Amino acid sequence: MTSFLLDNIQSALICTLDIHANILYSNAAFKKFFLIDETYRGNFFEVIDDTQFHLLKEILKSVTENKKHIKDFVLRLKDKERHSGQKVTWEFFLEDTKNQIFCIGIVSQFGEYILYADNIFNLETILTTTNESSIILSKNVKVEFFSKQAYEDVKKFFGKVIKKGDDFDQYIIPDLRELFYDKFNEALSGNEIYYEINVPVGPSEGTWFFIKFSPIRSAVGGITSVLYSARNIDDIKKYEHELSQQRFYLKSMYDSVDTAIGVFDKNFKVLYTNRSASDLIQKKFGKKPRKGDSGYEFFYSNNLNFFHSKIESALKGTSEIFEYEDGNEVWRFKIFPIYDENLTIVGTSVHISDITKLKEYEQKIVQQIKFLKQLA
């Protein structure tokens, strides 16, 4: 690669070293990041923390003597204050033809890649293809770029045509202005902010958006602008609300029946019990079932093997229906396999009904039939 090509790579810090870590060449991004001038010919040890010297020596030795290719290696930086919250992930390998060490560094936030002002053109190209309302705002909240979706949303909700250079304040709903500027200023301080909010636009109940503020940095780490993104998640939130309502109605329905119902995972751990099941277990075992409890805690030990075999049978796809006597009480058990959308068994559902009175009534009928037969 020529130095011209390397100098125009602005998303990576690139340099070449001799075997003693003297910097033979560094590209423009490297110089900007470490604030060094065009004529700098220093040593790589000068840009990393003193505590990292032994690590760098080992890297250089591995690369030069053993021809190893070192990747994904992070070295702490010398200027901790200026590079606070940043890290550089390095790659080192030997350029055999010149016996030089080639170094590539990718700058990122702790756990996040940085948005570079130098790469705004590429960023704009990417944002234009998304379905998010994305707007790049200057430090004084002027519009520097907006995606197609942002243009359409502003026109839809505000009846205006957004333009570069606009003061974005006019597109902020008055009741949300304080919140917007609080989050915008947090992003200018270097933090990435995101949250969900119901915005009073569109239908009478408003529209839900996922909002994100991301700082955009220059190659030397300073924040130049903020990427503001808003994604319409109204359909998702309405679906979540419907599911919540369905869960409420389903729970109400289950809690209103006399049958004790418990839902268990494949390891027979409690996922859900209705009110009748909780009351029955409290009565029989002196405690309420909790999510994550082993369902086997709620069977008598002398019949544990019997119930275990029934559960295992249900987990293999067979529904088990049987009666069980507990002293003077008679209970009907129904154990069903539970399937997911792929028809894979993911657990069991246990239904228990008190049929003591029904069995007593059956016995009376049997006795009456016997008595009538004797009379005949």
Side-chain angles (χ1 to χ4, degrees):
M1 290 185 213
T2 67
S3 60
F4 172 80
L5 290 174
L6 295 177
D7 273 332
N8 280 277
I9 297 175
Q10 298 179 350
S11 59
L13 315 181
I14 298 174
C15 68
T16 56
L17 312 175
D18 66 17
I19 60 173
H20 304 294
N22 293 311
I23 298 175
L24 305 175
Y25 163 82
S26 59
N27 72 343
F30 186 100
K31 291 183 176 73
K32 282 184 180 180
F33 185 80
F34 290 112
L35 295 180
I36 56 181
D37 60 38
E38 292 295 326
T39 60
Y40 181 79
R41 290 294 183 272
N43 193 284
F44 197 88
F45 284 97
E46 295 171 9
V47 300
I48 65 170
D49 189 79
D50 295 354
T51 61
Q52 307 292 286
F53 283 6
H54 68 289
L55 293 174
L56 181 57
K57 288 177 182 177
E58 289 298 318
I59 290 171
L60 297 178
K61 183 178 179 180
S62 296
V63 171
T64 55
E65 295 181 10
N66 303 319
K67 306 292 180 68
K68 287 193 175 180
H69 191 144
I70 307 296
K71 294 188 291 185
D72 300 326
F73 204 96
V74 177
L75 293 167
R76 285 196 290 275
L77 304 174
K78 183 178 287 292
D79 194 340
K80 300 181 186 68
E81 183 175 346
R82 192 168 66 83
H83 295 129
S84 175
Q86 294 176 294
K87 69 177 181 181
V88 181
T89 304
W90 294 99
E91 183 172 348
F92 300 84
F93 58 92
L94 191 66
E95 191 178 26
D96 284 323
T97 56
K98 296 181 181 179
N99 200 31
Q100 296 174 357
I101 300 167
F102 201 86
C103 312
I104 303 174
I106 301 298
V107 183
S108 63
Q109 297 277 53
F110 291 130
E112 301 172 13
Y113 286 105
I114 294 175
L115 295 177
Y116 278 109
D118 291 340
N119 293 330
I120 286 297
F121 175 77
N122 293 332
L123 179 62
E124 291 176 358
T125 303
I126 293 169
L127 294 178
T128 300
T129 64
T130 70
N131 62 352
E132 290 189 0
S133 287
S134 300
I135 302 171
I136 296 176
L137 301 171
S138 67
K139 288 184 176 182
N140 58 354
V141 204
K142 299 293 184 182
V143 176
E144 295 183 344
F145 165 81
F146 53 88
S147 66
K148 180 181 178 182
Q149 188 64 48
Y151 175 88
E152 293 175 353
D153 284 348
V154 168
K155 193 171 183 179
K156 175 182 177 181
F157 295 124
F158 297 94
K160 298 180 180 181
V161 176
I162 189 171
K163 301 182 296 297
K164 288 185 178 181
D166 279 354
D167 186 342
F168 188 71
D169 188 79
Q170 64 183 298
Y171 306 121
I172 304 172
I173 294 171
D175 290 346
L176 301 177
R177 184 170 278 116
E178 183 178 352
L179 174 65
F180 175 89
Y181 282 107
D182 282 348
K183 302 305 181 185
F184 181 81
N185 289 327
E186 281 190 60
L188 283 179
S189 299
N191 299 314
E192 187 172 63
I193 312 298
Y194 47 89
Y195 56 92
E196 295 178 357
I197 187 172
N198 185 273
V199 180
V201 294
S204 58
E205 65 270 18
T207 303
W208 280 94
F209 286 91
F210 176 80
I211 305 295
K212 187 174 181 180
F213 292 82
S214 303
I216 298 176
R217 298 176 183 270
S218 68
V220 296
I223 295 172
T224 61
S225 49
V226 171
L227 172 62
Y228 169 73
S229 302
R231 185 170 76 248
N232 189 323
I233 57 169
D234 204 51
D235 289 342
I236 296 173
K237 297 301 287 187
K238 286 177 179 176
Y239 181 64
E240 287 178 351
H241 177 70
E242 289 175 6
L243 284 180
S244 177
Q245 288 294 102
Q246 289 175 11
R247 282 195 294 267
F248 171 76
Y249 294 139
L250 193 61
K251 186 176 186 302
S252 299
M253 181 181 72
Y254 278 131
D255 282 344
S256 66
V257 298
D258 293 331
T259 300
I261 301 172
V263 179
F264 304 84
D265 66 15
K266 289 189 73 171
N267 297 313
F268 208 57
K269 300 286 187 182
V270 174
L271 296 175
Y272 164 80
T273 54
N274 72 346
R275 185 175 301 160
S276 294
S278 294
D279 291 345
L280 177 61
I281 291 171
Q282 173 75 43
K283 176 183 176 183
K284 294 288 185 179
F285 298 94
K287 73 171 193 174
K288 293 278 187 181
R290 296 173 301 177
K291 185 176 181 178
D293 283 349
S294 171
Y296 292 114
E297 294 179 31
F298 311 120
F299 293 128
Y300 297 125
S301 57
N302 58 325
N303 287 308
L304 197 57
N305 290 336
F306 169 77
F307 283 105
H308 183 267
S309 67
K310 298 295 184 182
I311 299 298
E312 289 298 307
S313 178
L315 286 172
K316 293 176 182 177
T318 302
S319 297
E320 295 285 346
I321 301 174
F322 57 92
E323 295 177 2
Y324 175 77
E325 292 186 9
D326 180 16
N328 295 324
E329 299 172 338
V330 183
W331 301 87
R332 175 174 289 125
F333 280 75
K334 297 179 181 179
I335 305 176
F336 306 107
I338 298 175
Y339 298 86
D340 66 9
E341 64 275 11
N342 297 317
L343 299 181
T344 300
I345 296 175
V346 294
T348 54
S349 176
V350 179
H351 299 228
I352 308 172
S353 302
D354 185 352
I355 59 170
T356 304
K357 291 183 179 180
L358 176 62
K359 300 302 286 185
E360 290 175 351
Y361 182 71
E362 286 178 354
Q363 281 298 111
K364 287 182 180 179
I365 296 296
V366 170
Q367 292 299 326
Q368 289 175 358
I369 290 174
K370 286 183 178 180
F371 178 72
L372 291 174
K373 284 183 177 179
Q374 289 175 355
L375 291 177

